[in-house]
């Protein structure tokens, strides 16, 4: 299986069989990652450059590990020390890097759409590692893999995505993915944190946690993304936790075998109770991190195959 895309910019443009192909390959890589010899040669000879214009712990680390396990030459640009600080534009930085012949460019940027723009200027494969509040495709894929491994399927599940939907690229990518895979989606949060028009996305919108969690198979919590808020969106952190923070009492309204997810970084006592987040019988938060490496290996492997095919045909 190859992808018919040069880049992975979002889930919106992917077809369900492509999503399944990435997840199937990622499942194989998850097995490899638990073994003693984690090396494969899928990206051998290729250069991967990571450009993170926004802070990141797990996404950047897992892209680095994924590239190294598949034999790529991996370089993470120290963006704090780069020429961006001297006034160079994103596009100029991209063109400079492009001249060094990278094959895979992994980009995170605070502005929605910035990664798509950059992809038009370079002749390698670009992977979106999160752009503003737009998309974060590898996060939705790793969430899907975690759900599929826990529940055995992605269709006909009730998934409650809770909290700060308005500022979340994770929510947007998950809504695309789970919608395409025919799961039932509920967005749960205060009216100020649910985008206007969300009701037209083919999802249910709830402003009450008990109602929103009722019978849910999957409960996905989101961080309050203060760095993207300009003004007061919640009355107080305490009040928010009381109404929308996930604890055992609220979770009791979900299905008895519901799993709890969070993309991280997590704010304990703000959107989720710390004890619940650590409860290995309910929380799959660590599995999400584990699947992150596997999904990024699969995505870069498939994009590299497409890139090599394009190069053979002289398209790039
Ligand atoms: C998310 C992100 O950066 O969008 N984190 C992640 O990639 N694991 C979510 C967040 O920042 O809250």
């Amino acid at each position: 299986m190859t992808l018919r895309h040069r880049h992975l910019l979002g889930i919106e443009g992917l077809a369900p069989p492509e999503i399944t192909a990435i997840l199937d390959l990622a499942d194989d890589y998850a097995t490899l990652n638990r073994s003693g010899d984690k090396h494969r040669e899928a990206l051998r000879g290729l250069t991967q450059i990571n450009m993170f214009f926004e802070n990141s712990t797990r996404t950047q680390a897992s892209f680095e590990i994924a590239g190294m396990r598949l034999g790529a030459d991996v370089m993470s640009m120290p963006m704090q020390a780069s020429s961006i600080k001297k006034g160079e534009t994103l596009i100029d930085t991209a063109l400079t890097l492009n001249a060094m012949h990278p094959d895979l460019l992994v980009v995170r940027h605070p502005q929605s759409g910035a990664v798509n723009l950059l992809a038009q200027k370079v002749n390698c494969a670009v992977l979106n590692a999160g752009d503003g509040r737009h998309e974060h495709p590898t996060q939705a894929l790793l969430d899907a893999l975690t759900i599929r491994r826990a529940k055995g399927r992605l269709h006909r599940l009730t998934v409650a995505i809770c909290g700060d939907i308005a500022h979340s690229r994770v929510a947007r990518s998950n809504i695309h993915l789970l919608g395409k895979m025919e799961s039932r989606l509920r967005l749960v949060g205060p009216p100020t944190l649910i985008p206007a028009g969300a009701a037209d996305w083919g999802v249910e919108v709830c402003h009450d946690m008990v109602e929103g969690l009722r019978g849910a198979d999957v409960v996905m919590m989101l961080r309050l993304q203060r760095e993207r808020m300009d003004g007061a969106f919640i009355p107080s952190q305490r009040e928010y936790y009381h109404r929308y923070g996930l604890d055992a009492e609220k979770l009791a309204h979900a299905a008895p075998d519901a799993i709890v997810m969070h993309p991280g970084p997590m704010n304990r006592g703000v959107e989720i109770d710390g004890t619940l987040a650590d409860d290995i019988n309910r929380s799959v938060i660590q599995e999400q991190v584990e699947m992150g490496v596997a999904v990024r290996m699969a995505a870069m492997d498939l994009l590299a195959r497409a890139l090599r095919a394009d190069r053979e045909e002289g398209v790039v």
Side-chain angles (χ1 to χ4, degrees):
M1 169 80 189
T2 49
L3 291 180
R4 56 188 172 88
H5 306 274
R6 164 92 57 76
H7 310 295
L8 179 59
L9 299 175
I11 298 293
E12 194 176 9
L14 292 182
E18 293 178 306
I19 293 170
T20 303
I22 299 173
L23 299 185
D24 290 348
L25 183 59
D27 239 335
D28 293 343
Y29 280 131
T31 308
L32 178 78
N33 288 340
R34 287 185 184 182
S35 75
D37 175 7
K38 300 176 179 60
H39 276 136
R40 286 292 179 271
E41 304 278 282
L43 302 182
R44 196 188 141 96
L46 302 184
T47 299
Q48 171 191 338
I49 301 182
N50 303 324
M51 293 166 79
F52 281 67
F53 295 91
E54 234 185 40
N55 294 344
S56 168
T57 312
R58 68 219 87 219
T59 306
Q60 183 168 347
S62 72
F63 265 114
E64 281 181 27
I65 293 172
M68 289 193 266
R69 289 201 179 149
L70 293 182
D73 295 316
V74 184
M75 205 264 300
S76 288
M77 288 275 294
M79 298 314 300
Q80 302 305 325
S82 77
S83 291
I84 295 275
K85 294 273 177 252
K86 298 182 187 167
E88 188 174 71
T89 66
L90 168 69
I91 299 305
D92 282 334
T93 307
L95 291 176
T96 304
L97 288 175
N98 194 47
M100 298 182 200
H101 298 292
D103 304 284
L104 297 152
L105 215 47
V106 179
V107 188
R108 168 170 286 192
H109 199 278
Q111 266 158 343
S112 307
V115 183
N116 294 46
L117 181 69
L118 186 144
Q120 293 164 17
K121 308 284 175 189
V122 294
N123 41 24
C124 60
V126 175
L127 290 100
N128 181 1
D131 65 321
R133 53 180 84 177
H134 176 227
E135 280 237 37
H136 191 351
T138 55
Q139 179 69 44
L141 288 162
L142 76 87
D143 289 340
L145 184 60
T146 308
I147 296 172
R148 199 175 78 167
R149 288 167 68 104
K151 297 280 159 204
R153 64 181 201 279
L154 283 174
H155 58 279
R156 283 191 293 105
L157 290 169
T158 301
V159 181
I161 305 182
C162 312
D164 184 0
I165 317 276
H167 301 99
S168 177
R169 53 197 175 208
V170 176
R172 229 158 244 98
S173 289
N174 266 299
I175 292 165
H176 283 303
L177 194 154
L178 293 163
K180 282 175 199 276
M181 302 319 260
E182 294 174 20
S183 266
R184 192 164 350 122
L185 280 166
R186 278 190 210 141
L187 305 184
V188 192
T192 47
L193 293 179
I194 305 235
D200 303 330
W201 300 347
V203 297
E204 267 175 73
V205 174
C206 295
H207 300 306
D208 176 73
M209 279 292 266
V210 170
E211 195 190 317
L213 295 195
R214 193 165 290 137
D217 302 296
V218 176
V219 180
M220 192 181 286
M221 301 309 298
L222 297 171
R223 183 174 65 89
L224 272 182
Q225 291 154 85
R226 294 182 183 281
E227 73 277 22
R228 283 189 244 287
M229 296 182 190
D230 47 2
F233 283 77
I234 54 163
S236 77
Q237 213 156 282
R238 220 174 126 185
E239 167 81 2
Y240 182 79
Y241 182 67
H242 175 66
R243 295 199 54 189
Y244 295 102
L246 186 69
D247 56 14
E249 203 184 309
K250 293 195 190 85
L251 184 63
H253 296 276
D257 60 350
I259 54 169
V260 174
M261 307 181 74
H262 194 303
M266 163 165 75
N267 290 313
R268 292 169 186 258
V270 179
E271 68 263 356
I272 190 165
D273 168 58
T275 314
L276 183 57
D278 295 333
D279 179 356
I280 53 164
N281 295 313
R282 306 310 299 269
S283 159
V284 293
I285 296 172
Q286 295 307 323
E287 278 90 332
Q288 288 175 269
V289 179
E290 181 186 0
M291 292 311 128
V293 178
V295 150
R296 287 164 182 132
M297 289 166 85
M300 290 197 289
D301 179 348
L302 290 169
L303 286 179
R305 292 184 210 182
L307 183 69
R308 285 188 165 121
D310 277 356
R311 282 178 179 164
E312 263 165 40
E313 283 174 29
V315 184
V316 201

